[in-house]
Amino acid sequence: MADIINALILGLIEGLTEFIPVSSTAHVLLVEKLLGFHPAGNSFAVLIQLGAILAILLVYFQRLISIAVSLPTSQRSRHFVIAVLLGFLPAAVIGALAHDFIKTVLFESPIAICIALIVGGFILLAVDRVSFKPRYTDAMEFSWPMAIGIGFFQCLAMIPGTSRSGATIVGALLLGADKRSAAEFSFFLAMPTMVGAFALDLYKTRNELNANDGLLIVIGFVAAFVTALFVVRSLLDFVSKRGYAPFAWWRIFVGAVGLMAISMFG
């Protein structure tokens, strides 16, 4: 029963944090260590992310269908699909090559995770205070070189604590997007990226998972789906009005508390 409650808690955390720039992986890994919960090695944190992805697919279902149907006739739709695939490419290549190092080294360093949270928080604060003059206000119009650039920013999130959404949003802002379109492109880029991460991790750990691990992953998956639905539906309006500073301060707070806890309890 304790494991089921832990899986539920972690799934809720995953769904609440996946699409805001605070690093869901960092939050899940740190809370896992706090709870002493380690199902399926370090795969739980990766595998439950698919629940959050299904939330995006549901929220954007009609738009995705519209894009798919219009592909043969719409140059705009083809341009956007190619841009998303180009943005996904750097993470696909680097993630596959560095998978074992990421899981066995970076995922096992809570100090590095906390430092990444704090550093990323200050970067997000700095970026949020800059008065950019955006060249793009529509995610579907991002240029292909810009999409590739955002894809390389996304690779920074392979360091737990960096935040995939935070890295892609900051990258998009620096490359000429406004806050709303930056967040929206991050949503779409998450789809192939997280499905790919899920498939790779599932393949790599297929021989390590048992029935109990599967049950816990399903619980976390469902919890992540439900809470991510709420976040995806409300985030774009929130960042358009409030910016990213609230998330930056939260990152700094969590990272600082984490470092203090590590220094006190080892």
Side-chain angles (χ1 to χ4, degrees):
M1 180 59 71
D3 280 351
I4 291 176
I5 294 173
N6 288 339
L8 180 61
I9 292 171
L10 291 167
L12 293 173
I13 292 172
E14 162 62 31
L16 288 171
T17 58
E18 179 58 50
F19 300 112
I20 61 178
V22 298
S23 181
S24 64
T25 302
H27 281 70
V28 171
L29 290 177
L30 290 174
V31 175
E32 274 187 0
K33 294 183 184 301
L34 179 65
L35 297 174
F37 180 66
H38 300 289
N42 281 324
S43 294
F44 181 85
V46 176
L47 296 179
I48 64 172
Q49 290 178 342
L50 192 62
I53 277 299
L54 289 184
I56 293 185
L57 293 176
L58 181 61
V59 170
Y60 282 95
F61 180 76
Q62 289 187 333
R63 186 166 174 184
L64 289 169
I65 292 297
S66 175
I67 291 171
V69 169
S70 66
L71 277 176
T73 58
S74 171
Q75 191 275 334
R76 173 180 164 87
S77 293
R78 291 193 297 272
H79 174 92
F80 178 63
V81 170
I82 293 173
V84 172
L85 293 176
L86 289 173
F88 163 64
L89 190 59
V93 174
I94 297 174
L97 293 175
H99 177 271
D100 291 344
F101 174 77
I102 294 168
K103 293 296 293 295
T104 59
V105 178
L106 298 181
F107 272 43
E108 294 292 344
S109 178
I111 293 177
I113 292 172
C114 291
I115 291 173
L117 281 170
I118 294 170
V119 171
F122 281 113
I123 291 174
L124 201 59
L125 273 179
V127 170
D128 194 57
R129 292 175 180 177
V130 174
S131 297
F132 293 104
K133 295 181 179 179
R135 292 177 288 117
Y136 298 94
T137 57
D138 185 343
M140 293 191 68
E141 296 179 356
F142 287 8
S143 69
W144 291 347
M146 178 178 177
I148 295 173
I150 295 171
F152 278 106
F153 272 94
Q154 179 172 242
C155 292
L156 296 173
M158 293 176 190
I159 304 170
T162 301
S163 170
R164 188 207 61 80
S165 60
T168 53
I169 287 169
V170 168
L173 291 173
L174 293 175
L175 293 172
D178 72 342
K179 291 177 180 178
R180 187 181 184 90
S181 64
E184 189 167 51
F185 191 81
S186 178
F187 286 168
F188 281 99
L189 187 55
M191 297 179 195
T193 301
M194 291 166 63
V195 169
F198 176 90
L200 177 62
D201 210 84
L202 185 62
Y203 174 77
K204 291 273 190 178
T205 60
R206 65 192 185 281
N207 296 323
E208 302 173 22
L209 300 175
N210 56 45
N212 184 61
D213 291 329
L215 173 63
L216 296 178
I217 289 168
V218 168
I219 292 170
F221 174 99
V222 173
F225 169 76
V226 173
T227 50
L229 267 180
F230 167 77
V231 174
V232 172
R233 291 181 185 278
S234 59
L235 181 62
L236 291 180
D237 287 338
F238 181 89
V239 299
S240 296
K241 297 174 183 177
R242 301 285 302 275
Y244 297 106
F247 306 120
W249 287 116
W250 175 256
R251 291 175 61 100
I252 293 167
F253 170 76
V254 171
V257 170
L259 286 178
M260 285 189 291
I262 292 168
S263 66
M264 291 173 63
F265 303 110

